[in-house]
Amino acid sequence: MSAARPGPLLLGVRHHGPGSARAVRAALDEARPAAVLIEGPPEGDALLELAADPGMRPPVALLAHAADDPGRAAFWPLADFSPEWVAIRWAQEAGVPVRFMDLPAAHALAAAGEPDADHAGPDAVRLDPLAVLAETAGYDDPERWWEDVVEHRGTGGAGEEALGAFEALGEAMGALRETYGDGGHHRDLVREAYMRQRMRAARREFGDGYAVVCGAWHVPALRAKTTVAADKALLTGLAKVKVETTWVPWTHRRLARAGGYGAGITSPGWYAHLFSARDRPVERWLTKVAGLLREEDRQVSSAHVIEAVRLAETLAAVRGRPLPGLTETLESVRAVMCDGSDIPLALIEDRLVVGDVLGEVPDGAPVVPLQRDLTRQQRSLRLKAEAQERELELDLRKDTDAAKSLLLHRLRLLGIGWGTPTASRSSTGTFRETWRLRWEPELSVRVAEAGIWGTTVLAAATARAEADAAAAEELGEVTALAERCLLAGLSEALPAVLRALADRAALDTDVARLAKALPALARSLRYGDVRGTDATALGAVAAGLAERICVALPPACAAGLDADAAAELRGHVDGVHGAVGLLADADDGLRERWSAVLRTLAGRDTVPGVIRGRAARLLLDDGRLEAGETARLMGLALSPAASPADAAGWIEGFAGGSSGGGTLLVHDDRLLGLIDTWLVGVPERAFTDVLPLLRRTFGAYEPGVKRTLGELVRRGPAASAEAARATGSAPEGFAPDLDPERADAVTELVRMLLASPDGVAAA
């Protein structure tokens, strides 16, 4: 074989560099080695044959994890344009042995929990070899320097030229190692000792007729003359764990340095394009950009593409670059296609410069049984794993959509966050669900971790729910778990969850925790009804919880609560009120008992104002409090005897938030007059104290409501109310009584809305 110096062929590369990848192929074609060693964990040797499988589509990653702790894992990503992947495929096509040669993952993962020697002190600095070489060459950007000296070298030239380039890069790295030693990469010394051991084994088998593909930084260390004893000394006493390996899909986005990948690159999508577009890469790239912008309804023509190419080439010539790089290309796109705006340019950088390409792994790759079951369900339900985020709308009345919902909820319970529930834009009914889906490579590790719970998604989720119920310490944890079990259709786990729920509820005497737990139970009953799940036992627990709250809540809302505690209890009152509305169908007397509690809270002057006001408002909305009685309660709350802070709290509870308090005041001049009269009489010093609370209350109103209230106050709401009572009229824009003819006009529209599927769901 031909080489620049005696010994094995050492090809020092940049991981995920398309120029390096082309040069590796050219050098291997020229040298024709008898074997190829690749930087990577030897545990992956048995999986290398899968690289030739037609179902293997990079980007992919070799995943190694500790057998007894799947969360302790490491990835070795590879893309089409990774030199290591090109070397693997070349060896398979040439029919020569190919093996990994880096430090075994068994040692690397065992050391993962130990203090990192690379970061032993605050002054430790890790050298970036490319940055040093770029600065030496007069460049302020390592990426631009690498493009000029490597990526813009066409196809890598002839084999002899490629071999010469590798020799020059190796000498440059040798100079850096002489100057900077290990450059702060202390663990590399151990890795390189093991690599030399593997090279000695290859020499015994193939002589010097083999090639090594590794990071260029390691080349000087692999050429160094060391003894077997010295290398063994570095490797003696290394911790070790049992390791399992497989291939998993990877994404271009996860190859990016911005994603936290140490060997990452800034523009994986751009590099993939450079590797695949062997001729006229700039023209082809700008054509892609034009297509993307057209999809976003921007006016981009062929003339724009031509002009952008000319500008990119001109910028490269002015800057003395051999070809336009990514910098020149993006600058030309901004000027010609984006009208100087960075907004569409950000889309291009996200979709094309980085990209969301997701690789595929063949079925023959070893996986845990849980992953196999998940893959089967994904195919059966046509739920494709995608790297780009997308929304999924589900109608739970359809069997397939209901099955998708169950799968996603079960995965969430297992800690596999493929999907995230989000608010639906089309309906708020219980028959609708909206999910935001995005598959991240790390989820493969989560699946492996969850494999300890079972071999199928259903069995694993059931076992995990039962274990979580037994371990839960607070009532709120168990109620949330019960809700998740019903959403996930885990009927076999419900008995254990309900036992834990009953035990925690019986022992818990904190009314705030009880009130916090009840809404989740009420929602669970609602979801169970929608999904056809038997939740009778859950209903009994919820009813008992509601009874305890009705008894314990009034004493808990006693005087002496600070503002934060009162606000928290006010929120619990809202939650319980909504829960009672859901539970009342199963218990006719519950609504009456809860209304009695609200009356007690509204009329007891020792209860904080924010809670009294909220109780009065809930009674008024339910039609259980007359307007005159409401005015009386407000008058008492806003009397001179009441403290300004307590009175302001009453107003916030009654009219604050998004509960329609502004509209109520617009329609009821009497209530507005009471508030106005109180506000005018607040002493100056006290007004400064209550102003933030009042701003929070009235600032949440819609702009139109605030304008109307301002106009009413300007005219004098009390005077307007007296005039209305005297003349039988009402403020401008409002009738004194309901107009039946105008009200009947919307009846047919309401019927149509309720007859639609979304209307039924909302109803």
Side-chain angles (χ1 to χ4, degrees):
M1 59 184 278
S2 173
R5 65 170 69 186
L9 176 63
L10 300 183
L11 303 179
V13 301
R14 183 190 188 187
H15 302 299
H16 320 304
S20 287
R22 286 192 295 267
V24 163
R25 176 168 284 279
L28 293 176
D29 283 339
E30 174 71 17
R32 309 303 298 182
V36 179
L37 302 184
I38 309 289
E39 183 180 329
E43 291 94 340
D45 284 352
L47 302 175
L48 281 171
E49 62 180 2
L50 288 172
D53 192 298
M56 181 75 85
R57 299 178 183 176
V60 294
L62 188 68
L63 164 63
H65 64 82
D68 59 350
D69 182 11
R72 186 185 295 187
F75 297 96
W76 285 262
L78 296 169
D80 274 322
F81 52 86
S82 299
E84 297 89 345
W85 182 261
V86 169
I88 291 170
R89 295 296 295 121
W90 181 91
Q92 290 172 332
E93 293 166 3
V96 302
V98 56
R99 299 165 186 168
F100 286 122
M101 63 176 295
D102 204 346
L103 186 71
H107 298 308
L109 293 178
E114 300 175 0
D116 190 350
D118 289 348
H119 304 281
D123 298 326
V125 177
R126 292 171 64 94
L127 180 74
D128 181 353
L130 293 187
V132 176
L133 292 177
E135 184 179 0
T136 303
Y139 284 75
D140 58 0
D141 182 1
E143 294 292 329
R144 190 157 55 88
W145 173 79
W146 183 261
E147 281 189 343
D148 286 355
V149 301
V150 177
E151 306 306 337
H152 292 164
R153 294 178 61 252
T155 61
E160 289 291 344
E161 181 183 350
L163 291 171
F166 282 119
E167 184 67 21
L169 186 58
E171 291 177 358
M173 290 297 172
L176 289 178
R177 294 295 290 256
E178 288 180 7
T179 303
Y180 297 100
D182 59 26
H185 302 260
H186 306 309
R187 287 193 184 275
D188 285 350
L189 299 179
V190 178
R191 294 174 57 202
E192 289 159 354
Y194 188 85
M195 291 182 193
R196 289 191 291 267
Q197 295 280 52
R198 296 283 283 187
M199 290 174 64
R200 292 185 183 102
R203 184 177 295 112
R204 289 193 295 270
E205 187 174 356
F206 306 106
D208 283 338
Y210 66 93
V212 171
V213 178
C214 63
W217 175 254
H218 301 299
V219 168
L222 300 186
R223 281 181 177 157
K225 300 296 184 181
T226 61
T227 65
V228 174
D231 287 341
K232 283 185 176 180
L234 286 172
L235 298 170
T236 299
L238 292 180
K240 189 175 183 180
V241 296
K242 185 179 179 182
V243 167
E244 295 177 355
T245 57
T246 186
W247 289 106
V248 296
W250 204 252
T251 67
H252 277 175
R253 189 171 300 280
R254 296 299 295 170
L255 284 171
R257 185 180 296 119
Y261 175 37
I265 51 181
T266 59
S267 48
W270 167 255
Y271 273 11
H273 171 79
L274 290 181
F275 186 70
S276 61
R278 300 302 180 91
D279 63 317
R280 308 182 75 85
V282 175
E283 290 86 341
R284 296 180 186 276
W285 172 261
L286 291 173
T287 301
K288 284 184 180 180
V289 171
L292 174 61
L293 293 177
R294 288 180 190 132
E295 291 175 1
E296 299 297 320
D297 295 327
R298 293 187 67 88
Q299 300 296 321
V300 179
S301 66
S302 300
H304 285 89
V305 176
I306 294 171
E307 185 59 32
V309 171
R310 289 175 178 169
L311 179 56
E313 291 175 342
T314 301
L315 288 172
V318 169
R319 294 168 179 172
R321 305 194 67 183
L323 286 173
L326 181 59
T327 302
E328 289 73 28
T329 306
L330 289 179
E331 287 179 2
S332 68
V333 167
R334 179 194 286 112
V336 177
M337 298 184 184
C338 301
D339 299 322
S341 173
D342 286 333
I343 296 176
L345 189 68
L347 175 69
I348 294 165
E349 291 176 335
D350 182 68
R351 298 276 187 87
L352 296 181
V353 176
V354 176
D356 282 307
V357 176
L358 177 66
E360 296 182 16
V361 171
D363 293 338
V367 294
V368 296
L370 181 63
Q371 177 66 70
R372 192 170 292 111
D373 180 64
L374 174 57
T375 302
R376 179 188 61 78
Q377 293 194 53
Q378 286 174 322
R379 291 175 179 171
S380 173
L381 298 174
R382 297 182 179 179
L383 268 178
K384 185 178 180 181
E386 296 175 327
Q388 189 169 355
E389 184 175 278
R390 69 182 181 97
E391 281 197 355
L392 177 67
E393 293 276 353
L394 300 178
D395 184 341
L396 302 182
R397 293 166 295 182
K398 299 177 181 178
D399 291 342
T400 302
D401 282 8
K404 291 177 181 178
S405 172
L406 292 177
L407 175 62
L408 293 171
H409 278 295
R410 289 167 183 172
L411 291 176
R412 276 177 57 80
L413 198 147
L414 288 168
I416 304 169
W418 178 19
T420 303
T422 185
S424 175
R425 292 176 294 184
S426 59
S427 171
T428 57
T430 55
F431 286 100
R432 299 282 184 183
E433 272 188 358
T434 302
W435 291 81
R436 187 173 293 117
L437 301 182
R438 183 171 191 161
W439 186 267
E440 296 284 0
E442 289 83 355
L443 294 178
S444 299
V445 178
R446 304 284 84 81
V447 175
E449 287 182 303
I452 64 173
W453 298 107
T455 58
T456 67
V457 175
L458 174 58
T462 299
R464 174 67 184 271
E466 292 174 344
D468 287 351
E473 297 181 355
E474 294 187 2
L475 179 61
E477 296 177 33
V478 189
T479 53
L481 182 60
E483 183 177 6
R484 297 174 71 184
C485 285
L486 284 171
L487 289 169
L490 302 179
S491 56
E492 293 186 6
L494 271 179
V497 175
L498 290 175
R499 284 195 301 272
L501 180 60
D503 293 343
R504 304 299 186 282
L507 297 174
D508 205 325
T509 58
D510 189 316
V511 69
R513 287 199 292 265
L514 296 176
K516 185 178 180 181
L518 185 62
L521 291 180
R523 289 194 303 268
S524 299
L525 290 168
R526 185 188 190 199
Y527 294 140
D529 179 63
V530 170
R531 290 162 174 77
T533 305
D534 184 7
T536 306
L538 195 62
V541 175
L545 209 59
E547 291 292 346
R548 293 179 59 192
I549 292 170
C550 288
V551 173
L553 187 59
C557 297
L561 290 176
D562 61 23
D564 291 339
E568 181 183 356
L569 272 178
R570 174 256 177 107
H572 290 322
V573 168
D574 279 343
V576 172
H577 186 75
V580 167
L582 296 174
L583 297 173
D585 292 340
D587 185 350
D588 295 333
L590 179 59
R591 194 185 299 274
E592 294 297 331
R593 292 191 292 276
W594 175 245
S595 295
V597 172
L598 291 178
R599 284 186 176 278
T600 300
L601 295 176
R604 185 175 292 176
D605 56 8
T606 57
V607 172
V610 67
I611 299 176
R612 281 186 285 127
R614 192 62 191 154
R617 178 58 192 277
L618 294 175
L619 288 169
L620 179 65
D621 288 346
D622 281 354
R624 295 176 179 272
L625 196 64
E626 298 294 335
E629 178 65 9
T630 304
R632 186 186 73 82
L633 291 173
M634 180 179 284
L636 291 173
L638 304 184
S639 69
S643 72
D646 192 65
W650 197 97
I651 294 173
E652 182 190 20
F654 183 83
S658 57
S659 56
T663 305
L664 177 66
L665 296 179
V666 165
H667 285 270
D668 197 323
D669 265 344
R670 181 167 43 173
L671 297 180
L672 180 60
L674 288 169
I675 293 177
D676 184 52
T677 302
W678 170 80
L679 192 58
V680 170
V682 174
E684 183 177 349
R685 292 181 179 177
F687 183 81
T688 303
D689 294 334
V690 302
L691 182 59
L693 190 61
L694 295 173
R695 277 182 172 171
R696 185 172 65 195
T697 301
F698 298 113
Y701 293 167
E702 293 290 334
V705 171
K706 286 190 281 190
R707 282 195 300 270
T708 304
L709 287 175
E711 178 62 24
L712 290 173
V713 171
R714 185 186 65 81
R715 292 205 309 261
S720 298
E722 289 296 331
R725 283 193 292 272
T727 63
S729 63
E732 184 179 354
F734 301 98
D737 298 306
L738 180 68
D739 186 335
E741 184 177 350
R742 296 181 69 182
D744 289 343
V746 301
T747 304
E748 188 61 32
L749 177 59
V750 171
R751 286 199 184 99
M752 292 174 61
L753 290 173
L754 292 176
S756 69
D758 287 349
V760 172

